[in-house]
Amino acid sequence: MALTGFYAGSFDPVTKGHLDIIDRAFTLVDRLVIGVGGHHDKSPLLSADERIALVEKEAGALAQARGRELAVTVFDGLAVDAAREQGAAVLLRGLRNGRDFDYEMQMSGMNSAMAPGLETVFLAASPETGFISSSLIKQIARLGGDISAFVPESVAAAIARSMRR
Ligand code: ADP
């Protein structure tokens, strides 16, 4: 039976850290659904449409290289509901540090109480990208810094365009 995984986040912007988790997720699941959420953020750097287009482009290239199926979806409610709607059996999360661990452990407990049988699988961040954070990238970009080491070129270009708006 094909295994579907659901990977949720705001992806504002999608980073090399997210893409590392996504690429490694393709070695575990047959089909990956990426849920782009975060519509409650009052000051997003990129619009939902821009975030989705960038995730589709960058994660799409990884899916193709791995011969795996990818779907990108917007979600507004609970990740567990979106995951179930997509037929996912697994929620994928990345762990960078102890702070992620504490938060993610608590969230996985709440999620498994709400959706028994939906398993959370944690992937340890890779040393090369484990320090990357979307919220710090947002701050650096807004202060005029160079974010090109942390995101793919397409994302850096989209952020540069958003800064000129
Ligand atoms: P949020 O839901 O807080 O907006 P993000 O969109 O930044 O989260 O991230 C979604 C998921 O990706 C989370 O599981 C987070 O821990 C993970 N993640 C974020 N950045 C990295 C990184 N650099 N390396 C590994 N995992 C990451």
Side-chain angles (χ1 to χ4, degrees):
M1 200 184 73
L3 181 66
T4 296
F6 188 77
Y7 181 47
S10 329
F11 304 108
D12 187 30
V14 63
T15 71
K16 289 184 180 176
H18 297 129
L19 292 166
D20 172 63
I21 296 294
I22 291 166
D23 191 39
R24 290 160 57 207
F26 284 129
T27 68
L28 302 174
V29 299
D30 305 292
R31 175 172 173 262
L32 182 67
V33 181
I34 301 181
V36 178
H39 299 289
H40 309 298
D41 184 346
K42 289 198 180 69
S43 59
L45 187 61
L46 300 171
S47 70
D49 286 348
E50 286 171 315
R51 285 183 274 143
I52 290 161
L54 292 166
V55 169
E56 272 172 351
K57 175 179 162 44
E58 298 299 334
L62 299 175
Q64 202 170 18
R66 295 270 187 197
R68 292 286 197 258
E69 210 186 310
L70 171 77
V72 182
T73 176
V74 185
F75 78 103
D76 239 340
L78 292 171
V80 288
D81 291 339
R84 276 195 294 211
E85 268 163 35
Q86 295 290 334
V90 168
L91 287 176
L92 288 149
R93 304 295 293 169
L95 286 183
R96 286 166 288 189
N97 48 40
R99 210 168 58 153
D100 273 357
F101 178 82
D102 289 343
Y103 174 72
E104 296 286 347
M105 276 300 288
Q106 207 169 11
M107 197 161 69
S108 80
M110 304 283 271
N111 282 340
S112 68
M114 288 189 286
L118 182 64
E119 291 293 342
T120 301
V121 170
F122 297 119
L123 291 177
S126 296
E128 301 79 19
T129 49
F131 59 89
I132 299 174
S133 127
S134 290
S135 55
L136 289 178
I137 288 173
K138 259 190 273 197
Q139 287 183 37
I140 294 168
R142 284 180 171 141
L143 294 170
D146 178 7
I147 48 131
S148 58
F150 316 128
V151 294
E153 265 178 46
S154 62
V155 175
I159 291 174
R161 278 196 301 277
S162 83
M163 291 293 133
R164 290 197 290 269
R165 283 204 287 259

